Amino acid sequence: MTLDDLAAYGANVQEGLGRCMNMEAFYLQLVETIKAEPNFDALAAAIDAGDLDAAFSASHALKGVLSNLSLTPLQKPMEELCELLRAHTDMDYAPLMAEITQQLERFRAL
Protein backbone atom coordinates (compact mmCIF):
# COMPACT_ATOMS: atom_id res chain seq x y z
CA MET A 1 0.00 0.00 0.00
CA THR A 2 1.29 3.44 -0.91
CA LEU A 3 0.27 7.01 -0.20
CA ASP A 4 -0.94 7.23 -3.79
CA ASP A 5 -3.14 4.16 -3.26
CA LEU A 6 -4.63 5.75 -0.17
CA ALA A 7 -5.22 9.06 -1.94
CA ALA A 8 -6.93 7.26 -4.83
CA TYR A 9 -9.10 5.47 -2.26
CA GLY A 10 -10.19 8.85 -0.92
CA ALA A 11 -8.13 9.16 2.25
CA ASN A 12 -6.90 12.60 3.26
CA VAL A 13 -3.29 11.48 3.21
CA GLN A 14 -1.75 14.85 4.06
CA GLU A 15 -3.94 15.23 7.13
CA GLY A 16 -3.20 11.67 8.29
CA LEU A 17 0.52 12.12 7.69
CA GLY A 18 0.44 15.35 9.68
CA ARG A 19 -0.96 13.49 12.66
CA CYS A 20 1.97 11.09 12.34
CA MET A 21 4.57 13.85 12.30
CA ASN A 22 4.94 13.38 8.52
CA MET A 23 6.59 10.01 9.10
CA GLU A 24 5.40 8.09 6.03
CA ALA A 25 6.54 4.65 7.18
CA PHE A 26 4.85 5.12 10.57
CA TYR A 27 1.62 6.33 8.96
CA LEU A 28 1.53 3.41 6.54
CA GLN A 29 2.26 0.98 9.37
CA LEU A 30 -0.71 2.31 11.35
CA VAL A 31 -2.96 2.31 8.28
CA GLU A 32 -2.07 -1.32 7.59
CA THR A 33 -3.32 -2.34 11.06
CA ILE A 34 -6.85 -1.29 10.07
CA LYS A 35 -7.13 -4.29 7.76
CA ALA A 36 -7.23 -6.66 10.75
CA GLU A 37 -8.90 -4.34 13.27
CA PRO A 38 -11.07 -6.61 15.47
CA ASN A 39 -13.61 -3.90 16.23
CA PHE A 40 -15.12 -4.32 12.76
CA ASP A 41 -16.14 -7.88 13.68
CA ALA A 42 -17.23 -6.79 17.14
CA LEU A 43 -19.39 -4.06 15.62
CA ALA A 44 -21.07 -6.44 13.18
CA ALA A 45 -21.72 -9.01 15.90
CA ALA A 46 -23.18 -6.40 18.25
CA ILE A 47 -25.44 -4.99 15.54
CA ASP A 48 -26.61 -8.50 14.65
CA ALA A 49 -27.34 -9.20 18.32
CA GLY A 50 -29.14 -5.88 18.80
CA ASP A 51 -26.65 -4.83 21.48
CA LEU A 52 -26.53 -1.11 20.79
CA ASP A 53 -24.23 -0.38 23.73
CA ALA A 54 -21.58 -2.83 22.51
CA ALA A 55 -22.08 -1.61 18.94
CA PHE A 56 -21.57 1.98 20.09
CA SER A 57 -18.39 1.04 21.93
CA ALA A 58 -16.91 -0.66 18.85
CA SER A 59 -18.04 2.10 16.47
CA HIS A 60 -16.64 4.80 18.75
CA ALA A 61 -13.24 3.12 18.85
CA LEU A 62 -13.27 2.70 15.09
CA LYS A 63 -14.38 6.29 14.52
CA GLY A 64 -11.40 7.50 16.52
CA VAL A 65 -8.76 5.50 14.71
CA LEU A 66 -10.27 6.10 11.26
CA SER A 67 -10.43 9.82 11.96
CA ASN A 68 -6.86 9.97 13.22
CA LEU A 69 -5.64 8.23 10.07
CA SER A 70 -8.00 10.29 7.86
CA LEU A 71 -9.42 7.23 6.11
CA THR A 72 -12.37 9.30 4.94
CA PRO A 73 -14.37 6.68 2.98
CA LEU A 74 -14.61 4.55 6.14
CA GLN A 75 -14.59 7.45 8.59
CA LYS A 76 -17.72 9.22 7.30
CA PRO A 77 -20.19 6.32 7.52
CA MET A 78 -18.63 5.23 10.82
CA GLU A 79 -19.18 8.71 12.27
CA GLU A 80 -22.82 8.59 11.18
CA LEU A 81 -23.30 5.11 12.63
CA CYS A 82 -21.58 6.05 15.89
CA GLU A 83 -23.85 9.04 16.48
CA LEU A 84 -26.99 7.00 15.73
CA LEU A 85 -25.83 4.33 18.16
CA ARG A 86 -24.94 6.95 20.79
CA ALA A 87 -28.58 8.09 20.65
CA HIS A 88 -29.87 4.47 20.68
CA THR A 89 -31.78 5.24 17.48
CA ASP A 90 -34.31 2.52 16.72
CA MET A 91 -33.67 1.80 13.05
CA ASP A 92 -32.38 -0.72 10.54
CA TYR A 93 -28.60 -0.39 10.65
CA ALA A 94 -28.10 -2.76 7.70
CA PRO A 95 -27.67 -0.05 5.01
CA LEU A 96 -24.96 1.75 7.00
CA MET A 97 -23.26 -1.53 7.84
CA ALA A 98 -23.36 -2.46 4.15
CA GLU A 99 -21.68 0.83 3.24
CA ILE A 100 -19.01 0.32 5.90
CA THR A 101 -18.43 -3.27 4.74
CA GLN A 102 -18.12 -2.14 1.13
CA GLN A 103 -15.61 0.57 2.04
CA LEU A 104 -13.67 -1.84 4.24
CA GLU A 105 -13.43 -4.35 1.36
CA ARG A 106 -12.22 -1.58 -0.96
CA PHE A 107 -9.64 -0.59 1.65
CA ARG A 108 -8.46 -4.15 2.23
CA ALA A 109 -7.95 -4.56 -1.52
CA LEU A 110 -5.37 -1.76 -1.61
Side-chain angles (χ1 to χ4, degrees):
M1 181 181 321
T2 66
L3 295 180
D4 289 339
D5 293 336
L6 289 168
Y9 170 68
N12 186 337
V13 173
Q14 293 309 310
E15 185 177 88
L17 268 174
R19 288 193 182 103
C20 292
M21 300 166 287
N22 291 313
M23 297 169 50
E24 182 177 333
F26 179 57
Y27 175 68
L28 290 173
Q29 178 183 6
L30 291 176
V31 166
E32 190 66 33
T33 67
I34 298 304
K35 290 182 177 181
E37 171 56 55
N39 275 310
F40 285 110
D41 291 335
L43 173 61
I47 292 285
D48 288 345
D51 185 346
L52 299 186
D53 290 327
F56 170 72
S57 181
S59 70
H60 192 262
L62 287 164
K63 180 182 89 163
V65 71
L66 296 171
S67 296
N68 282 332
L69 296 174
S70 299
L71 298 176
T72 310
L74 272 166
Q75 172 190 344
K76 294 301 180 187
M78 191 62 69
E79 286 174 350
E80 183 179 350
L81 178 65
C82 185
E83 293 313 309
L84 290 166
L85 290 166
R86 182 189 309 272
H88 284 90
T89 304
D90 184 21
M91 62 175 280
D92 179 8
Y93 290 98
L96 262 176
M97 287 301 296
E99 182 179 353
I100 290 166
T101 299
Q102 178 186 21
Q103 290 302 331
L104 182 58
E105 288 173 1
R106 282 185 60 225
F107 174 76
R108 285 178 173 160
L110 296 179

